[in-house]
mmCIF file of all heavy atoms in Angstrom:
data_model
loop_
_atom_site.group_PDB
_atom_site.id
_atom_site.type_symbol
_atom_site.label_atom_id
_atom_site.label_comp_id
_atom_site.label_asym_id
_atom_site.label_seq_id
_atom_site.Cartn_x
_atom_site.Cartn_y
_atom_site.Cartn_z
ATOM 1 N N PRO A 355 -0.953 4.954 11.962
ATOM 2 C CA PRO A 355 -0.229 5.615 13.042
ATOM 3 C C PRO A 355 -0.875 5.375 14.400
ATOM 4 O O PRO A 355 -2.060 5.054 14.498
ATOM 5 C CB PRO A 355 -0.295 7.092 12.653
ATOM 6 C CG PRO A 355 -1.543 7.219 11.849
ATOM 7 C CD PRO A 355 -1.678 5.924 11.103
ATOM 8 N N SER A 356 -0.066 5.541 15.429
ATOM 9 C CA SER A 356 -0.607 5.499 16.796
ATOM 10 C C SER A 356 -1.368 6.773 17.104
ATOM 11 O O SER A 356 -2.237 6.803 17.981
ATOM 12 C CB SER A 356 0.548 5.313 17.799
ATOM 13 O OG SER A 356 1.266 4.136 17.526
ATOM 14 N N GLY A 357 -1.044 7.829 16.412
ATOM 15 C CA GLY A 357 -1.729 9.106 16.574
ATOM 16 C C GLY A 357 -1.456 9.992 15.374
ATOM 17 O O GLY A 357 -0.517 9.766 14.618
ATOM 18 N N GLY A 358 -2.292 10.993 15.179
ATOM 19 C CA GLY A 358 -2.172 11.861 14.007
ATOM 20 C C GLY A 358 -2.945 11.298 12.827
ATOM 21 O O GLY A 358 -3.598 10.253 12.928
ATOM 22 N N ASP A 359 -2.885 11.995 11.700
ATOM 23 C CA ASP A 359 -3.679 11.628 10.532
ATOM 24 C C ASP A 359 -2.814 11.511 9.284
ATOM 25 O O ASP A 359 -1.910 12.323 9.061
ATOM 26 C CB ASP A 359 -4.765 12.684 10.272
ATOM 27 C CG ASP A 359 -5.775 12.750 11.413
ATOM 28 O OD1 ASP A 359 -6.400 11.713 11.693
ATOM 29 O OD2 ASP A 359 -5.908 13.826 12.021
ATOM 30 N N VAL A 360 -3.132 10.500 8.474
ATOM 31 C CA VAL A 360 -2.519 10.317 7.162
ATOM 32 C C VAL A 360 -3.623 10.467 6.127
ATOM 33 O O VAL A 360 -4.588 9.692 6.125
ATOM 34 C CB VAL A 360 -1.856 8.930 7.025
ATOM 35 C CG1 VAL A 360 -1.231 8.777 5.634
ATOM 36 C CG2 VAL A 360 -0.802 8.720 8.106
ATOM 37 N N TRP A 361 -3.481 11.453 5.262
ATOM 38 C CA TRP A 361 -4.517 11.750 4.278
ATOM 39 C C TRP A 361 -4.051 11.427 2.874
ATOM 40 O O TRP A 361 -2.914 11.731 2.497
ATOM 41 C CB TRP A 361 -4.906 13.229 4.328
ATOM 42 C CG TRP A 361 -5.579 13.656 5.595
ATOM 43 C CD1 TRP A 361 -4.975 14.116 6.732
ATOM 44 C CD2 TRP A 361 -6.975 13.671 5.849
ATOM 45 N NE1 TRP A 361 -5.914 14.414 7.693
ATOM 46 C CE2 TRP A 361 -7.154 14.149 7.175
ATOM 47 C CE3 TRP A 361 -8.102 13.324 5.099
ATOM 48 C CZ2 TRP A 361 -8.414 14.292 7.749
ATOM 49 C CZ3 TRP A 361 -9.351 13.472 5.666
ATOM 50 C CH2 TRP A 361 -9.491 13.948 6.979
ATOM 51 N N PHE A 362 -4.936 10.813 2.083
ATOM 52 C CA PHE A 362 -4.795 10.735 0.635
ATOM 53 C C PHE A 362 -5.985 11.464 0.048
ATOM 54 O O PHE A 362 -7.122 11.000 0.148
ATOM 55 C CB PHE A 362 -4.759 9.281 0.162
ATOM 56 C CG PHE A 362 -4.958 9.136 -1.322
ATOM 57 C CD1 PHE A 362 -4.044 9.689 -2.215
ATOM 58 C CD2 PHE A 362 -6.059 8.457 -1.835
ATOM 59 C CE1 PHE A 362 -4.233 9.576 -3.590
ATOM 60 C CE2 PHE A 362 -6.249 8.329 -3.206
ATOM 61 C CZ PHE A 362 -5.333 8.897 -4.081
ATOM 62 N N LYS A 363 -5.731 12.632 -0.502
ATOM 63 C CA LYS A 363 -6.799 13.519 -0.948
ATOM 64 C C LYS A 363 -7.759 13.759 0.224
ATOM 65 O O LYS A 363 -7.361 14.268 1.245
ATOM 66 C CB LYS A 363 -7.486 12.961 -2.190
ATOM 67 C CG LYS A 363 -6.540 12.825 -3.393
ATOM 68 C CD LYS A 363 -7.238 12.327 -4.633
ATOM 69 C CE LYS A 363 -6.292 12.249 -5.811
ATOM 70 N NZ LYS A 363 -6.926 11.742 -7.037
ATOM 71 N N GLU A 364 -9.026 13.361 0.092
ATOM 72 C CA GLU A 364 -9.995 13.564 1.176
ATOM 73 C C GLU A 364 -10.194 12.310 2.018
ATOM 74 O O GLU A 364 -11.102 12.246 2.851
ATOM 75 C CB GLU A 364 -11.346 14.004 0.590
ATOM 76 C CG GLU A 364 -11.287 15.279 -0.228
ATOM 77 C CD GLU A 364 -10.759 16.454 0.582
ATOM 78 O OE1 GLU A 364 -11.132 16.587 1.769
ATOM 79 O OE2 GLU A 364 -9.972 17.238 0.026
ATOM 80 N N GLU A 365 -9.349 11.309 1.811
ATOM 81 C CA GLU A 365 -9.495 10.026 2.483
ATOM 82 C C GLU A 365 -8.526 9.932 3.658
ATOM 83 O O GLU A 365 -7.312 10.051 3.479
ATOM 84 C CB GLU A 365 -9.207 8.903 1.471
ATOM 85 C CG GLU A 365 -9.447 7.509 1.974
ATOM 86 C CD GLU A 365 -9.204 6.478 0.876
ATOM 87 O OE1 GLU A 365 -8.863 6.870 -0.268
ATOM 88 O OE2 GLU A 365 -9.346 5.274 1.170
ATOM 89 N N ASN A 366 -9.062 9.739 4.851
ATOM 90 C CA ASN A 366 -8.226 9.622 6.050
ATOM 91 C C ASN A 366 -7.844 8.155 6.241
ATOM 92 O O ASN A 366 -8.656 7.335 6.664
ATOM 93 C CB ASN A 366 -8.961 10.151 7.279
ATOM 94 C CG ASN A 366 -8.036 10.311 8.473
ATOM 95 O OD1 ASN A 366 -6.992 9.668 8.562
ATOM 96 N ND2 ASN A 366 -8.408 11.181 9.397
ATOM 97 N N LEU A 367 -6.577 7.838 5.930
ATOM 98 C CA LEU A 367 -6.105 6.460 6.023
ATOM 99 C C LEU A 367 -5.913 6.008 7.475
ATOM 100 O O LEU A 367 -5.871 4.812 7.755
ATOM 101 C CB LEU A 367 -4.792 6.296 5.262
ATOM 102 C CG LEU A 367 -4.823 6.662 3.773
ATOM 103 C CD1 LEU A 367 -3.424 6.518 3.168
ATOM 104 C CD2 LEU A 367 -5.820 5.802 3.015
ATOM 105 N N SER A 368 -5.796 6.958 8.380
ATOM 106 C CA SER A 368 -5.554 6.622 9.783
ATOM 107 C C SER A 368 -6.729 5.880 10.406
ATOM 108 O O SER A 368 -6.546 5.049 11.299
ATOM 109 C CB SER A 368 -5.273 7.898 10.591
ATOM 110 O OG SER A 368 -4.235 8.636 10.003
ATOM 111 N N SER A 369 -7.916 6.175 9.947
ATOM 112 C CA SER A 369 -9.117 5.541 10.500
ATOM 113 C C SER A 369 -9.722 4.537 9.534
ATOM 114 O O SER A 369 -10.841 4.065 9.747
ATOM 115 C CB SER A 369 -10.157 6.615 10.847
ATOM 116 O OG SER A 369 -10.457 7.419 9.721
ATOM 117 N N ALA A 370 -8.991 4.202 8.473
ATOM 118 C CA ALA A 370 -9.513 3.292 7.455
ATOM 119 C C ALA A 370 -9.504 1.851 7.948
ATOM 120 O O ALA A 370 -8.634 1.441 8.729
ATOM 121 C CB ALA A 370 -8.695 3.415 6.176
ATOM 122 N N GLY A 371 -10.445 1.071 7.483
ATOM 123 C CA GLY A 371 -10.478 -0.351 7.796
ATOM 124 C C GLY A 371 -9.552 -1.134 6.886
ATOM 125 O O GLY A 371 -8.962 -0.582 5.940
ATOM 126 N N ASP A 372 -9.434 -2.433 7.146
ATOM 127 C CA ASP A 372 -8.519 -3.271 6.371
ATOM 128 C C ASP A 372 -8.871 -3.285 4.891
ATOM 129 O O ASP A 372 -7.977 -3.224 4.031
ATOM 130 C CB ASP A 372 -8.535 -4.706 6.912
ATOM 131 C CG ASP A 372 -7.886 -4.823 8.283
ATOM 132 O OD1 ASP A 372 -7.134 -3.896 8.663
ATOM 133 O OD2 ASP A 372 -8.128 -5.829 8.977
ATOM 134 N N GLY A 373 -10.144 -3.362 4.575
ATOM 135 C CA GLY A 373 -10.559 -3.399 3.178
ATOM 136 C C GLY A 373 -10.214 -2.118 2.443
ATOM 137 O O GLY A 373 -9.736 -2.145 1.301
ATOM 138 N N GLN A 374 -10.428 -0.988 3.095
ATOM 139 C CA GLN A 374 -10.126 0.305 2.487
ATOM 140 C C GLN A 374 -8.624 0.454 2.262
ATOM 141 O O GLN A 374 -8.187 0.932 1.214
ATOM 142 C CB GLN A 374 -10.640 1.426 3.393
ATOM 143 C CG GLN A 374 -10.520 2.826 2.799
ATOM 144 C CD GLN A 374 -11.089 3.884 3.737
ATOM 145 O OE1 GLN A 374 -11.696 3.555 4.760
ATOM 146 N NE2 GLN A 374 -10.901 5.136 3.389
ATOM 147 N N LEU A 375 -7.824 0.018 3.233
ATOM 148 C CA LEU A 375 -6.371 0.097 3.085
ATOM 149 C C LEU A 375 -5.873 -0.842 1.981
ATOM 150 O O LEU A 375 -4.949 -0.500 1.236
ATOM 151 C CB LEU A 375 -5.684 -0.237 4.408
ATOM 152 C CG LEU A 375 -5.795 0.812 5.510
ATOM 153 C CD1 LEU A 375 -5.188 0.283 6.809
ATOM 154 C CD2 LEU A 375 -5.121 2.120 5.090
ATOM 155 N N THR A 376 -6.486 -2.012 1.874
ATOM 156 C CA THR A 376 -6.105 -2.942 0.805
ATOM 157 C C THR A 376 -6.380 -2.334 -0.561
ATOM 158 O O THR A 376 -5.541 -2.412 -1.475
ATOM 159 C CB THR A 376 -6.864 -4.268 0.954
ATOM 160 O OG1 THR A 376 -6.502 -4.882 2.194
ATOM 161 C CG2 THR A 376 -6.531 -5.223 -0.190
ATOM 162 N N ARG A 377 -7.527 -1.702 -0.724
ATOM 163 C CA ARG A 377 -7.849 -1.064 -1.999
ATOM 164 C C ARG A 377 -6.887 0.081 -2.297
ATOM 165 O O ARG A 377 -6.465 0.274 -3.446
ATOM 166 C CB ARG A 377 -9.295 -0.551 -1.982
ATOM 167 C CG ARG A 377 -10.340 -1.657 -2.056
ATOM 168 C CD ARG A 377 -11.722 -1.092 -2.282
ATOM 169 N NE ARG A 377 -12.184 -0.281 -1.154
ATOM 170 C CZ ARG A 377 -12.800 -0.771 -0.087
ATOM 171 N NH1 ARG A 377 -13.018 -2.082 0.014
ATOM 172 N NH2 ARG A 377 -13.199 0.023 0.880
ATOM 173 N N TYR A 378 -6.528 0.834 -1.272
ATOM 174 C CA TYR A 378 -5.574 1.936 -1.450
ATOM 175 C C TYR A 378 -4.222 1.395 -1.909
ATOM 176 O O TYR A 378 -3.624 1.913 -2.864
ATOM 177 C CB TYR A 378 -5.424 2.698 -0.128
ATOM 178 C CG TYR A 378 -4.303 3.704 -0.104
ATOM 179 C CD1 TYR A 378 -4.407 4.910 -0.793
ATOM 180 C CD2 TYR A 378 -3.130 3.456 0.617
ATOM 181 C CE1 TYR A 378 -3.373 5.832 -0.769
ATOM 182 C CE2 TYR A 378 -2.103 4.384 0.644
ATOM 183 C CZ TYR A 378 -2.220 5.562 -0.051
ATOM 184 O OH TYR A 378 -1.194 6.470 -0.038
ATOM 185 N N ARG A 379 -3.722 0.340 -1.253
ATOM 186 C CA ARG A 379 -2.426 -0.232 -1.632
ATOM 187 C C ARG A 379 -2.466 -0.795 -3.055
ATOM 188 O O ARG A 379 -1.505 -0.650 -3.807
ATOM 189 C CB ARG A 379 -2.025 -1.329 -0.647
ATOM 190 C CG ARG A 379 -1.658 -0.830 0.734
ATOM 191 C CD ARG A 379 -0.996 -1.928 1.551
ATOM 192 N NE ARG A 379 -1.880 -3.069 1.760
ATOM 193 C CZ ARG A 379 -2.681 -3.229 2.803
ATOM 194 N NH1 ARG A 379 -2.721 -2.306 3.757
ATOM 195 N NH2 ARG A 379 -3.440 -4.301 2.921
ATOM 196 N N ARG A 380 -3.569 -1.420 -3.406
ATOM 197 C CA ARG A 380 -3.662 -2.029 -4.736
ATOM 198 C C ARG A 380 -3.776 -1.001 -5.845
ATOM 199 O O ARG A 380 -3.138 -1.126 -6.887
ATOM 200 C CB ARG A 380 -4.888 -2.960 -4.792
ATOM 201 C CG ARG A 380 -4.701 -4.276 -4.072
ATOM 202 C CD ARG A 380 -5.930 -5.154 -4.249
ATOM 203 N NE ARG A 380 -5.746 -6.469 -3.646
ATOM 204 C CZ ARG A 380 -6.679 -7.416 -3.630
ATOM 205 N NH1 ARG A 380 -7.867 -7.170 -4.162
ATOM 206 N NH2 ARG A 380 -6.429 -8.582 -3.075
ATOM 207 N N ASN A 381 -4.600 0.016 -5.635
ATOM 208 C CA ASN A 381 -4.971 0.915 -6.721
ATOM 209 C C ASN A 381 -4.185 2.213 -6.779
ATOM 210 O O ASN A 381 -4.173 2.870 -7.823
ATOM 211 C CB ASN A 381 -6.467 1.241 -6.620
ATOM 212 C CG ASN A 381 -7.337 0.007 -6.738
ATOM 213 O OD1 ASN A 381 -7.081 -0.864 -7.566
ATOM 214 N ND2 ASN A 381 -8.358 -0.090 -5.901
ATOM 215 N N VAL A 382 -3.524 2.572 -5.693
ATOM 216 C CA VAL A 382 -2.854 3.878 -5.648
ATOM 217 C C VAL A 382 -1.342 3.753 -5.554
ATOM 218 O O VAL A 382 -0.613 4.566 -6.128
ATOM 219 C CB VAL A 382 -3.383 4.707 -4.438
ATOM 220 C CG1 VAL A 382 -2.653 6.035 -4.330
ATOM 221 C CG2 VAL A 382 -4.887 4.934 -4.572
ATOM 222 N N VAL A 383 -0.846 2.713 -4.878
ATOM 223 C CA VAL A 383 0.564 2.658 -4.498
ATOM 224 C C VAL A 383 1.278 1.493 -5.166
ATOM 225 O O VAL A 383 0.745 0.388 -5.282
ATOM 226 C CB VAL A 383 0.704 2.505 -2.957
ATOM 227 C CG1 VAL A 383 2.173 2.637 -2.550
ATOM 228 C CG2 VAL A 383 -0.138 3.550 -2.242
ATOM 229 N N GLY A 384 2.518 1.761 -5.620
ATOM 230 C CA GLY A 384 3.433 0.720 -6.057
ATOM 231 C C GLY A 384 4.628 0.712 -5.130
ATOM 232 O O GLY A 384 5.074 1.773 -4.681
ATOM 233 N N PHE A 385 5.149 -0.468 -4.816
ATOM 234 C CA PHE A 385 6.245 -0.607 -3.860
ATOM 235 C C PHE A 385 7.471 -1.220 -4.531
ATOM 236 O O PHE A 385 7.355 -2.198 -5.273
ATOM 237 C CB PHE A 385 5.838 -1.495 -2.678
ATOM 238 C CG PHE A 385 4.683 -0.981 -1.870
ATOM 239 C CD1 PHE A 385 3.385 -1.406 -2.129
ATOM 240 C CD2 PHE A 385 4.885 -0.055 -0.848
ATOM 241 C CE1 PHE A 385 2.319 -0.933 -1.393
ATOM 242 C CE2 PHE A 385 3.819 0.422 -0.103
ATOM 243 C CZ PHE A 385 2.535 -0.016 -0.375
ATOM 244 N N VAL A 386 8.636 -0.633 -4.230
ATOM 245 C CA VAL A 386 9.923 -1.183 -4.661
ATOM 246 C C VAL A 386 10.812 -1.251 -3.425
ATOM 247 O O VAL A 386 10.987 -0.244 -2.731
ATOM 248 C CB VAL A 386 10.592 -0.312 -5.746
ATOM 249 C CG1 VAL A 386 11.945 -0.908 -6.158
ATOM 250 C CG2 VAL A 386 9.684 -0.167 -6.965
ATOM 251 N N PHE A 387 11.379 -2.425 -3.166
ATOM 252 C CA PHE A 387 12.171 -2.626 -1.958
ATOM 253 C C PHE A 387 13.628 -2.920 -2.292
ATOM 254 O O PHE A 387 13.990 -3.159 -3.447
ATOM 255 C CB PHE A 387 11.578 -3.762 -1.116
ATOM 256 C CG PHE A 387 10.160 -3.535 -0.689
ATOM 257 C CD1 PHE A 387 9.106 -4.154 -1.349
ATOM 258 C CD2 PHE A 387 9.864 -2.678 0.360
ATOM 259 C CE1 PHE A 387 7.789 -3.936 -0.960
ATOM 260 C CE2 PHE A 387 8.553 -2.452 0.757
ATOM 261 C CZ PHE A 387 7.518 -3.079 0.099
ATOM 262 N N GLN A 388 14.451 -2.918 -1.254
ATOM 263 C CA GLN A 388 15.871 -3.202 -1.428
ATOM 264 C C GLN A 388 16.084 -4.608 -1.986
ATOM 265 O O GLN A 388 16.911 -4.817 -2.874
ATOM 266 C CB GLN A 388 16.601 -3.053 -0.091
ATOM 267 C CG GLN A 388 18.076 -3.446 -0.151
ATOM 268 C CD GLN A 388 18.773 -3.239 1.184
ATOM 269 O OE1 GLN A 388 18.206 -2.658 2.111
ATOM 270 N NE2 GLN A 388 19.998 -3.710 1.292
ATOM 271 N N PHE A 389 15.345 -5.570 -1.447
ATOM 272 C CA PHE A 389 15.439 -6.949 -1.917
ATOM 273 C C PHE A 389 14.283 -7.193 -2.870
ATOM 274 O O PHE A 389 13.136 -6.864 -2.568
ATOM 275 C CB PHE A 389 15.452 -7.904 -0.730
ATOM 276 C CG PHE A 389 16.592 -7.642 0.210
ATOM 277 C CD1 PHE A 389 16.379 -7.032 1.429
ATOM 278 C CD2 PHE A 389 17.890 -7.954 -0.152
ATOM 279 C CE1 PHE A 389 17.430 -6.763 2.288
ATOM 280 C CE2 PHE A 389 18.951 -7.690 0.689
ATOM 281 C CZ PHE A 389 18.727 -7.093 1.923
ATOM 282 N N PHE A 390 14.573 -7.755 -4.008
ATOM 283 C CA PHE A 390 13.665 -7.711 -5.151
ATOM 284 C C PHE A 390 12.387 -8.520 -4.927
ATOM 285 O O PHE A 390 11.337 -8.191 -5.469
ATOM 286 C CB PHE A 390 14.407 -8.205 -6.400
ATOM 287 C CG PHE A 390 15.850 -7.767 -6.439
ATOM 288 C CD1 PHE A 390 16.876 -8.699 -6.513
ATOM 289 C CD2 PHE A 390 16.187 -6.420 -6.364
ATOM 290 C CE1 PHE A 390 18.202 -8.306 -6.527
ATOM 291 C CE2 PHE A 390 17.517 -6.010 -6.368
ATOM 292 C CZ PHE A 390 18.528 -6.960 -6.449
ATOM 293 N N ASN A 391 12.471 -9.620 -4.143
ATOM 294 C CA ASN A 391 11.293 -10.425 -3.806
ATOM 295 C C ASN A 391 10.553 -10.939 -5.032
ATOM 296 O O ASN A 391 9.323 -11.026 -5.037
ATOM 297 C CB ASN A 391 10.326 -9.616 -2.924
ATOM 298 C CG ASN A 391 10.954 -9.220 -1.601
ATOM 299 O OD1 ASN A 391 11.710 -9.980 -1.013
ATOM 300 N ND2 ASN A 391 10.643 -8.021 -1.128
ATOM 301 N N LEU A 392 11.314 -11.283 -6.081
ATOM 302 C CA LEU A 392 10.690 -11.905 -7.244
ATOM 303 C C LEU A 392 10.437 -13.379 -6.956
ATOM 304 O O LEU A 392 11.163 -14.011 -6.184
ATOM 305 C CB LEU A 392 11.602 -11.768 -8.471
ATOM 306 C CG LEU A 392 11.959 -10.345 -8.908
ATOM 307 C CD1 LEU A 392 12.871 -10.388 -10.116
ATOM 308 C CD2 LEU A 392 10.715 -9.521 -9.197
ATOM 309 N N ILE A 393 9.405 -13.923 -7.570
ATOM 310 C CA ILE A 393 9.116 -15.352 -7.416
ATOM 311 C C ILE A 393 10.075 -16.117 -8.318
ATOM 312 O O ILE A 393 10.052 -15.954 -9.547
ATOM 313 C CB ILE A 393 7.649 -15.644 -7.772
ATOM 314 C CG1 ILE A 393 6.723 -14.847 -6.834
ATOM 315 C CG2 ILE A 393 7.361 -17.140 -7.665
ATOM 316 C CD1 ILE A 393 5.259 -14.936 -7.195
ATOM 317 N N PRO A 394 10.940 -16.953 -7.747
ATOM 318 C CA PRO A 394 12.042 -17.537 -8.527
ATOM 319 C C PRO A 394 11.597 -18.471 -9.645
ATOM 320 O O PRO A 394 12.307 -18.617 -10.646
ATOM 321 C CB PRO A 394 12.865 -18.292 -7.475
ATOM 322 C CG PRO A 394 11.946 -18.497 -6.321
ATOM 323 C CD PRO A 394 11.015 -17.331 -6.323
ATOM 324 N N ASP A 395 10.427 -19.102 -9.509
ATOM 325 C CA ASP A 395 9.976 -20.067 -10.510
ATOM 326 C C ASP A 395 9.178 -19.416 -11.639
ATOM 327 O O ASP A 395 8.653 -20.133 -12.509
ATOM 328 C CB ASP A 395 9.120 -21.146 -9.849
ATOM 329 C CG ASP A 395 9.925 -21.996 -8.870
ATOM 330 O OD1 ASP A 395 11.151 -22.107 -9.056
ATOM 331 O OD2 ASP A 395 9.321 -22.530 -7.913
ATOM 332 N N LEU A 396 9.060 -18.090 -11.604
ATOM 333 C CA LEU A 396 8.318 -17.376 -12.645
ATOM 334 C C LEU A 396 9.256 -16.495 -13.451
ATOM 335 O O LEU A 396 10.249 -15.975 -12.938
ATOM 336 C CB LEU A 396 7.220 -16.511 -12.023
ATOM 337 C CG LEU A 396 6.147 -17.230 -11.199
ATOM 338 C CD1 LEU A 396 5.112 -16.227 -10.721
ATOM 339 C CD2 LEU A 396 5.491 -18.345 -11.999
ATOM 340 N N THR A 397 8.941 -16.318 -14.726
ATOM 341 C CA THR A 397 9.731 -15.435 -15.579
ATOM 342 C C THR A 397 9.460 -13.973 -15.210
ATOM 343 O O THR A 397 8.560 -13.671 -14.413
ATOM 344 C CB THR A 397 9.372 -15.633 -17.054
ATOM 345 O OG1 THR A 397 7.999 -15.245 -17.254
ATOM 346 C CG2 THR A 397 9.571 -17.085 -17.474
ATOM 347 N N ALA A 398 10.229 -13.085 -15.818
ATOM 348 C CA ALA A 398 10.025 -11.652 -15.580
ATOM 349 C C ALA A 398 8.591 -11.252 -15.920
ATOM 350 O O ALA A 398 7.913 -10.571 -15.151
ATOM 351 C CB ALA A 398 11.010 -10.837 -16.407
#
């Protein structure tokens, strides 16, 4: 954010560095979008 705080438990994501945010996205969050973004040359 440009201002304010985003918290995950006791972790303030607003002041997190790139590495910390990458770990959060990998280990905590799953994303599903409108467009499926599957790799066409790979099986399910």
